[in-house]
Amino acid sequence: MAIEGVPEKMLAAQVVEFNKPYKIQSIPTPTSLSPHDLLLKVKVASLCHTDSMVSAGIMGTPLPCIASHEGCGEVIALGSSVTYFKKGDRVMAGLPMHRCGHCPDCLGPDELKHYCRNVKGYVGVTLDGAFAEYMVADARESSQIPEGVSYETAAPMACAGVTIWGGLVRAGLKAGETVALVGAGGGLGHLGCQFAKAMGLQVVGIDARDEGLELARQLGAHVVVDARVGKEKVVEEVNKVTNGLGVDSALTISDAPEAAALACAITKMHGTMIQIAQPPDVSVPFAELIFRDIRVHGSLLAPRREAQRMLDFVAEHNITVKTNAFLGLEEIPQLLELAHSGKMAGKGVVIVDGDEIRKERERRGGGGV
């Protein structure tokens, strides 16, 4: 039975077969909510590198599955136990769905709760996601979008923003210290440049694409280094601006095979490299770990508290997202074509509710859709 006020059918882009294009078709809308669920009318959803891993079958996704784990929208209906949100609220959907509440991570520190090993799944990864007109999200993992943040900014923050923010938090740096972003001009990296600069950090942006280098430069990286000059030259350039010591911490965002080793090489002795990218293997020379005492720490997303802090920070510091916008779910094939070309700087977003985004842009003094 359909939820009151919600149509029985919706348009969605599904993974129906691995290594094949999404199937964009009309399917039933969600008909029921668990006690802690929200039903969102999706306004904007965006593309993430992990979507390609889902499509390739790497994430063990049950099929069919609606793609995209970066979504935001308006609350249309609420589960019986939801108290933090109300109908009409603007919400960024969290990725985890239905943590168990009793495993060591759920009972442990807040910063580890999203590692629950018994979680039901993750939207757009193992459960239906945001490339649809409606989506279900867990209210306990989702965040209020501040008034000063648009839907087009909020959607990429659901994973790209939360992930790079979580990595910076895990690095534990203080204002005035230096951070390197290996992959500074991509979807996560260009947000990381802005976050880090607004936190008072000195930012070294490293990328191997002209578009990425230019974007990192535009968004305030204090030093930009082209990775294509080779590891030794990159280390030399970084040492020039760090008194020969290296950066206090490096975040590896690129999944290039040599990225992790490069990140360690430019990090000072006893410093920390945060591994965010998810290549099949992470390779680091033993000398970095043993003779230079580089600590390698993985980082996955961030807890809901940090996600809300991030959105408030975005509003306070006017953090922007470089977007490549496509109007309507029907244009997802064109988005994927651009993404696969290697020429996309920033994030690819799909405007699901064109009327709403047009009004939002007009209110904010921007152009139409």
Side-chain angles (χ1 to χ4, degrees), residues 26-75:
S26 178
I27 64 172
T29 55
T31 56
S32 63
L33 298 175
S34 295
H36 295 284
D37 286 350
L38 300 171
L39 181 67
L40 303 181
K41 181 172 173 48
V42 179
K43 304 300 181 180
V44 178
S46 55
L47 187 71
C48 178
H49 174 70
T50 304
D51 290 311
S52 65
M53 300 170 70
V54 171
S55 292
I58 295 171
M59 308 304 288
T61 306
L63 299 183
C65 183
I66 300 172
S68 178
H69 52 277
E70 295 183 335
C72 61
E74 177 186 348
V75 177

Side-chain angles (χ1 to χ4, degrees), residues 141-217:
E141 313 295 341
S142 300
S143 306
Q144 294 270 7
I145 301 174
E147 181 59 33
V149 178
S150 70
Y151 282 123
E152 288 178 88
T153 295
M157 295 294 170
C159 178
V162 166
T163 297
I164 194 67
W165 175 273
L168 287 167
V169 169
R170 184 154 280 185
L173 300 177
K174 302 184 294 292
E177 293 186 312
T178 304
V179 65
L181 304 175
V182 180
L188 278 73
H190 87 289
L191 297 175
C193 286
Q194 296 176 79
F195 285 151
K197 185 178 180 183
M199 290 172 177
L201 301 175
Q202 297 295 305
V203 183
V204 177
I206 299 172
D207 209 286
R209 300 173 302 124
D210 293 338
E211 297 86 355
L213 292 164
E214 181 56 29
L215 185 57
R217 189 176 291 111

